[in-house]
Amino acid sequence: MAERLRLCIVSDDFVPAATGVGVHLGVVAPALAAHGHLVSVVTTRRAGQPAQERINGIAVYRMPTVKLFDFYQALPSSGTLRRLVQALAPDLVHHHYAGLMMRRMVSVAAGLGVPQISTWHFGPEILTQPWPMRPLRHWVGREMVRVNNRCSVVISPSANLAPELVAMGIRVPVRHISNPLAFAGGAAVVPALRPAGFVVLYAGRLGPEKNIGHLVQVFHQLLQTHGDATLWIAGSGPEEAGLRRLCMSLGVGDKVRFLGFLDHAALATHYAACDAFVLPSLREVQPMVVIEAMRFGKPVIMTAAIAAAQELIDHGVNGFIVDPASVQDMYQCLVKLADDPALRTAMGRSSRSRAVAFSPEVTVLALEVLYRDVLGHQSA
């Protein structure tokens, strides 16, 4: 085995995951540890969680935390981070979550001469969703670029996002490494109980960037021709109350089921049971829920606004890429799937085949190459 590394991962989300970043790390961090690396994670501390623990062979350090506009933000002092980094003596720090902790840790690690890399999981539009934050979006974007430029490399989970990062002002090298698949299998999962008829699943945070109200509008139209259809909405977030009101106002409340936040085991049963997965987001990088739905052999509808849409979906082969502003576009694709079980089966088979490329092992091997490349350049 190659020489093991001391890796310090910094993220405001880890396990139990509240976002796709936490899901990503819940796969990658244990896989790195299984490869023999000494992995530490510096993250948020929520109610009932210890300040320090071990999870799946990983040393977890939880920092003082506040919840701002539905997002957890760790607020450690620079002194606390400096003492921790000195004690851990990492070969490399890997940032995964743009926030106040990353901002401080970048300066601390730079001062101690520790090489750093970052993964760009989301842009400033995510951090500035709440209306009080929106006037700060331009400043937050500039600050994200500035902080990421202090790293040796920025990882882009989507190949299509990489040139956008350069256009935004990222000057350091940008490397594409895909998100990993968060489920090892699918065939052994017992599907959830489901109603008769066509079942559509959405899974993810119930936030404004997810454009779920658009999906509800489309589903309302679908019910005019396919009255036995059902929409499952898995997840929680600030938009839930408004979405419930929308469903009631459209008269579809009895056909839309809000499942709440589901852990991976429960979510797996719903992937297995649904007929199609839809992600109507207005902006995302490379959504792990789409890769998961593909692993469970489902046709996927996602919008062209998602950076990795064309990397994940071959339009008409394993799903459809639609206009995020067009009700009719998404409606027509749902009708095709609802009316043609053979098409759903064929697309699902293609999705499952494509999901193989997102094995955690592929991601971890690519990370190891990058880590050693960065450390080699630092020592040269």
Side-chain angles (χ1 to χ4, degrees), residues 3 39 45 49 116 136 152 172 189 195 201 209 214-215 245 260 277 339 350 372:
E3 179 185 0
V39 181
R45 184 181 184 185
Q49 293 180 327
Q116 303 177 78
L136 300 176
S152 296
V172 299
V189 173
L201 173 66
E209 81 285 359
H214 177 79
L215 172 57
R245 287 193 297 270
F277 183 84
D339 287 344
S350 179
R372 292 196 169 90

Side-chain angles (χ1 to χ4, degrees), residues 7 9-11 14 25 29 39-43 58-62:
L7 303 171
I9 293 172
V10 182
S11 170
F14 187 47
L25 291 176
V39 181
S40 301
V41 174
V42 185
T43 187
I58 300 153
V60 181
Y61 300 88
R62 299 190 181 275

Side-chain angles (χ1 to χ4, degrees), residues 36-377:
H37 303 296
L38 299 177
V39 181
S40 301
V41 174
V42 185
T43 187
T44 48
R45 184 181 184 185
R46 303 167 197 175
Q49 293 180 327
Q52 185 176 342
E53 61 182 318
R54 291 194 70 83
I55 301 176
N56 297 326
I58 300 153
V60 181
Y61 300 88
R62 299 190 181 275
M63 299 291 111
T65 299
V66 296
K67 191 175 184 181
L68 299 172
F69 304 115
D70 205 50
F71 290 99
Y72 289 98
Q73 289 278 316
L75 296 174
S77 68
S78 295
T80 296
L81 292 175
R82 185 176 299 107
R83 288 188 292 273
L84 180 59
V85 173
Q86 288 172 330
L88 295 175
D91 296 306
L92 183 140
V93 171
H94 188 164
H95 300 276
H96 281 269
Y97 203 108
L100 296 172
M101 180 164 63
M102 177 182 176
R103 197 166 180 256
R104 290 177 180 170
M105 180 64 99
V106 162
S107 294
V108 166
L112 295 172
V114 181
Q116 303 177 78
I117 67 173
S118 169
T119 297
W120 189 287
H121 288 285
F122 53 80
E125 68 282 348
I126 302 301
L127 294 176
T128 57
Q129 289 171 6
W131 66 264
M133 294 290 293
R134 290 175 193 170
L136 300 176
R137 183 164 295 179
H138 186 62
W139 177 85
V140 169
R142 289 202 320 268
E143 190 65 6
M144 288 178 67
V145 169
R146 183 189 70 81
V147 171
N148 276 270
N149 274 332
R150 298 190 68 181
C151 298
S152 296
V153 172
V154 172
I155 296 173
S156 172
S158 164
N160 289 336
L161 178 67
E164 291 186 34
L165 295 180
V166 174
M168 289 173 62
I170 296 296
R171 298 188 306 274
V172 299
V174 177
R175 293 274 290 271
H176 166 52
I177 298 179
S178 175
N179 283 328
L181 179 66
F183 290 99
V189 173
V190 177
L193 293 176
R194 50 162 288 163
F198 182 60
V199 178
V200 180
L201 173 66
Y202 163 86
R205 182 173 175 273
L206 307 188
E209 81 285 359
K210 300 296 188 177
N211 200 25
I212 307 166
H214 177 79
L215 172 57
V216 172
Q217 296 279 0
V218 174
F219 182 71
H220 171 250
Q221 183 169 334
L222 180 67
L223 286 176
Q224 310 310 305
T225 53
H226 298 73
D228 61 349
T230 300
L231 173 61
W232 283 343
I233 298 179
S236 60
E239 297 288 292
E240 181 172 346
L243 289 168
R244 287 182 180 273
R245 287 193 297 270
L246 176 61
C247 290
M248 295 305 294
S249 68
L250 293 174
V252 300
D254 61 334
K255 288 292 188 176
V256 180
R257 183 180 171 197
F258 287 84
L259 304 174
F261 176 81
L262 300 178
D263 62 23
H264 257 190
L267 183 56
T269 68
H270 288 81
Y271 280 132
C274 73
D275 293 306
F277 183 84
V278 179
L279 189 65
S281 299
L282 295 172
R283 179 67 178 172
E284 266 189 80
V285 177
Q286 190 195 50
M288 294 186 69
V289 288
V290 168
I291 301 172
E292 292 167 0
M294 289 167 57
R295 177 63 187 88
F296 280 88
K298 303 302 173 180
V300 174
I301 298 174
M302 62 192 302
T303 71
I306 297 169
Q310 293 182 348
E311 300 165 39
L312 298 174
I313 302 301
D314 186 353
H315 186 79
V317 177
N318 70 314
F320 301 103
I321 300 173
V322 299
D323 181 347
S326 171
V327 169
Q328 196 64 20
D329 196 5
M330 185 180 291
Y331 165 75
Q332 289 175 348
C333 293
L334 280 173
V335 167
K336 288 179 183 178
L337 293 173
D339 287 344
D340 195 340
L343 177 64
R344 297 200 300 266
T345 299
M347 284 189 164
R349 189 180 302 116
S350 179
S351 281
R352 186 178 292 110
S353 176
R354 287 167 176 268
V356 174
F358 300 96
S359 159
E361 189 70 9
V362 173
T363 299
V364 168
L365 290 174
L367 285 172
E368 288 180 320
V369 170
L370 177 58
Y371 291 160
R372 292 196 169 90
D373 185 39
V374 169
L375 293 172
H377 279 94

